[in-house]
Amino acid sequence: VNFEIANSGAISVDGYTWAAGIEAQAVDVVNVANTGDITASVYSNGHAYGIYATGSDVTVVNEGNVGVQGYYATGIEAQSYGDIAIDNGGSIVAYSGNGLALGINASSGGEGAVVSVGNTGVVAAVGYYGGTAISAVSSGVGGTVSVDNSGTLYAQQGNKYGLGAYGISA
């Protein structure tokens, strides 16, 4: 079953251990298009996602403002065993005062999978133990990754014992 979401409105979610502004999961193709403002927050040691998408092939296009806060804070999360394409022209701010922050995280484990991330917007990831603005991984045999950034990236780690701060990790 193919799954498509198009959002142009404002979304605000608060959770205890899990919050996702848009959560789209399918066995087949997933397409998410967002031009609205999304905020997602968790209050315990959980996960907060602006957009969370999983499927056989995943495409996410964001032109909105996405703000997430939590122990694990991720603006856009895309997982697949097939291809992933993310295009961000909006503003993403992921903040974790006591954990890890990721602006965009794209990961595929499929053989020959193509993971592509394009950014013309602003992506900021600030985490106590580490922050990564864009992370893209294709771990299957013959997989490829490309990241094209002409926007602004910011990453910060707030603790000298953390995992580091990375603008782009591919």
Side-chain angles (χ1 to χ4, degrees):
V1 174
N2 295 342
F3 197 59
E4 295 195 26
I5 293 178
N7 177 59
S8 61
I11 298 173
S12 180
V13 294
D14 295 313
Y16 187 71
T17 60
W18 180 273
I22 294 174
E23 183 171 348
Q25 296 189 56
V27 174
D28 292 322
V29 175
V30 172
N31 295 313
V32 177
N34 178 58
T35 58
D37 294 342
I38 298 174
T39 59
S41 300
V42 292
Y43 299 105
S44 186
N45 290 343
H47 297 269
Y49 300 98
I51 298 171
Y52 183 90
T54 65
S56 63
D57 288 307
V58 176
T59 300
V60 177
V61 177
N62 179 58
E63 294 293 330
N65 297 315
V66 176
V68 293
Q69 182 173 343
Y71 190 84
Y72 300 104
T74 305
I76 297 175
E77 175 79 22
Q79 299 175 8
S80 177
Y81 278 96
D83 297 340
I84 297 175
I86 298 176
D87 184 18
N88 179 58
S91 173
I92 298 172
V93 176
Y95 174 77
S96 178
N98 55 358
L100 298 170
L102 290 163
I104 296 172
N105 189 39
S107 177
S108 179
E111 184 174 335
V114 175
V115 176
S116 172
V117 177
N119 178 56
T120 58
V122 175
V123 180
V126 177
Y128 184 72
Y129 288 111
T132 302
I134 297 175
S135 175
V137 175
S138 183
S139 61
V141 173
T144 61
V145 170
S146 68
V147 176
D148 183 8
N149 177 59
S150 62
T152 301
L153 303 178
Y154 178 79
Q156 178 182 332
Q157 173 184 306
N159 178 327
K160 68 180 181 176
Y161 300 109
L163 299 175
Y166 306 94
I168 297 172
S169 175

